[in-house]
Amino acid sequence: MKKFKNSEITPEKIYYKRRSFVKSIGYSLSAMTLCSVPLIKANASNSNNLTSYKDITTYNNYYEFGTSKSDPYINAQNFKTKPWNITIEGEVDKPINISMEEISNEFTSEERILRLRCVEGWSMIIPWMGFSLSQLLSKVNFTSKAKFVEFESVYDPEQMKGQRYPVLNWPYKEGLRLDEAMHPLTTVVTGLYNKKLPNQNGAPLRIFIPWKYGFKSAKAIVKIKLVEKMPTSSWMWASPREYGFYSNVNPNVDHPRWSQATERIIGNNIFSPRVKTLMFNGYGEEVAHLYNGMDLKKFF
Ligand code: MTE
């Protein structure tokens, strides 16, 4: 496992590079190798567009509030996100419990335009507000046993109707290897489009890992646990054959039930062609080194 060195890359560098990538070439380049000229034009102009606020906030996956894309928008409106506390515990010298107010006072959220690629085969370009998870994790000292990070979403079946049914093993859990968690692109999201994070997108706080399928990005988190063993995420638990621990966006590794080679950009009209999915969702330059020497077909 390659340890991430903080000096290797700065959040600013990534952010500006990523921004220009999305804005200038983005998917037009990959589309160019795939499609005929008129379609490239349609794609190129669309790829320069951020997904609309409406699409980002009404087309969601958040099974605690229902399994249809429109359910979270409808059912999460009255979800109470105040007061809210997060614990950071496990393999740390001293666990902490930190409130949302303390987090907002202590960490400055910046705009981070990052692509979300859902395992279902669609994508969005989202202007998130947030900061690197590594900043939040710097509030604790890890023990030498800390190898992975487990995220836990809130468990509140009173407010979250979906948790009354065994759709997943609640609470929703996800995990990262420690070096993935410490990578500056791994983001604690506090908002989008310069506004506070809507409930349906994971308020008050969610994680976002742009080079992994969207389900790795747990919403409404209440616990971050440093652990020694690879955690079993809710999706691995539900279907280990379909959802691996790494879940890096990878056009060469199909989901057992469908291809991951292409994707539909949300907001494009229905006649727009699907575009080619990029390795690591286009963030290979920043993250490929984390997986040097690993067989990504085996560790999917
Ligand atoms: N987090 C929780 N707690 N519950 C969920 O059902 N769905 C995941 C992820 N985080 C989910 C979750 C999936 S499958 C995706 S694609 C993204 O959230 C969707 O994020 P968005 O609705 O903000 O686009």
Side-chain angles (χ1 to χ4, degrees):
M1 183 195 308
K2 184 177 187 300
K3 280 261 180 307
F4 169 69
K5 281 200 233 84
N6 220 11
S7 57
E8 272 174 12
I9 208 154
T10 66
E12 291 75 25
K13 229 164 103 188
I14 283 174
Y15 171 60
Y16 290 115
K17 249 171 63 192
R18 189 51 40 200
R19 191 178 180 127
S20 57
F21 172 78
V22 168
K23 285 241 145 86
S24 58
I25 37 176
Y27 266 46
S28 54
L29 244 191
S30 64
M32 235 175 271
T33 57
L34 264 187
C35 312
S36 61
V37 174
L39 300 181
I40 296 167
K41 285 217 171 108
N43 256 328
S45 59
N46 280 323
S47 71
N48 287 333
N49 289 341
L50 299 177
T51 308
S52 71
Y53 184 80
K54 188 168 177 228
D55 281 339
I56 297 171
T57 57
T58 57
Y59 189 88
N60 299 101
N61 274 335
Y62 200 170
Y63 281 15
E64 286 88 333
F65 290 106
T67 53
S68 299
K69 295 286 176 282
S70 53
D71 284 345
Y73 167 70
I74 297 164
N75 298 328
Q77 290 309 317
N78 297 323
F79 178 59
K80 284 199 209 66
T81 56
K82 267 188 195 163
W84 196 275
N85 282 63
I86 292 176
T87 56
I88 307 181
E89 56 176 64
E91 292 299 340
V92 296
D93 286 345
K94 205 165 153 267
I96 61 162
N97 184 290
I98 184 168
S99 70
M100 247 338 265
E101 284 74 24
E102 287 170 299
I103 290 176
S104 315
N105 287 336
E106 207 168 313
F107 302 99
T108 310
S109 288
E110 57 183 8
E111 187 183 60
R112 294 184 165 200
I113 298 173
L114 298 170
R115 304 185 77 256
L116 181 155
R117 167 61 158 83
C118 180
V119 74
E120 295 162 337
W122 49 266
S123 64
M124 299 188 185
I125 301 175
I126 304 180
W128 302 107
M129 300 296 297
F131 57 91
S132 294
L133 175 65
S134 62
Q135 291 176 258
L136 182 58
L137 290 179
S138 72
K139 291 193 70 71
V140 293
N141 287 320
F142 310 148
T143 73
S144 58
K145 285 189 184 161
K147 299 282 187 312
F148 295 89
V149 183
E150 184 180 79
F151 303 98
E152 194 174 301
S153 299
V154 68
Y155 181 68
D156 188 350
E158 285 275 305
Q159 290 199 75
M160 297 172 137
K161 269 201 300 201
Q163 288 183 333
R164 297 176 207 165
Y165 308 93
V167 191
L168 286 171
N169 66 326
W170 310 112
Y172 195 95
K173 282 190 187 158
E174 261 308 334
L176 293 175
R177 215 170 54 191
L178 188 55
D179 57 345
E180 298 177 317
M182 296 302 281
H183 191 284
L185 272 178
T186 299
T187 302
V188 174
V189 170
T190 56
L192 58 86
Y193 266 108
N194 235 328
K195 297 189 172 88
K196 92 184 214 312
L197 193 62
N199 287 347
Q200 60 271 32
N201 295 91
L205 207 76
R206 61 97 60 90
I207 303 296
F208 188 69
I209 310 120
W211 70 96
K212 293 180 181 278
Y213 292 116
F215 66 86
K216 296 296 284 179
S217 299
K219 295 178 171 182
I221 59 158
V222 290
K223 196 192 282 182
I224 300 175
K225 194 171 176 184
L226 282 294
V227 294
E228 188 176 5
K229 301 234 159 68
M230 180 184 283
T232 304
S233 68
S234 295
W235 286 105
M236 286 162 74
W237 192 88
S239 185
R241 206 173 64 86
E242 294 175 288
Y243 307 104
F245 175 78
Y246 285 95
S247 291
N248 292 317
V249 173
N250 188 341
N252 309 315
V253 176
D254 290 339
H255 184 279
R257 289 184 280 142
W258 59 82
S259 160
Q260 291 293 19
T262 65
E263 66 201 48
R264 176 170 71 92
I265 297 181
I266 299 294
N268 277 3
N269 76 49
I270 52 164
F271 301 111
S272 301
R274 293 173 70 88
V275 300
K276 210 173 149 187
T277 288
L278 298 180
M279 188 65 205
F280 299 117
N281 202 19
Y283 299 95
E285 215 184 296
E286 289 85 0
V287 303
H289 69 273
L290 297 173
Y291 310 101
N292 277 347
M294 278 176 71
D295 177 353
L296 296 180
K297 286 206 159 76
K298 187 170 165 210
F299 299 103
F300 62 94

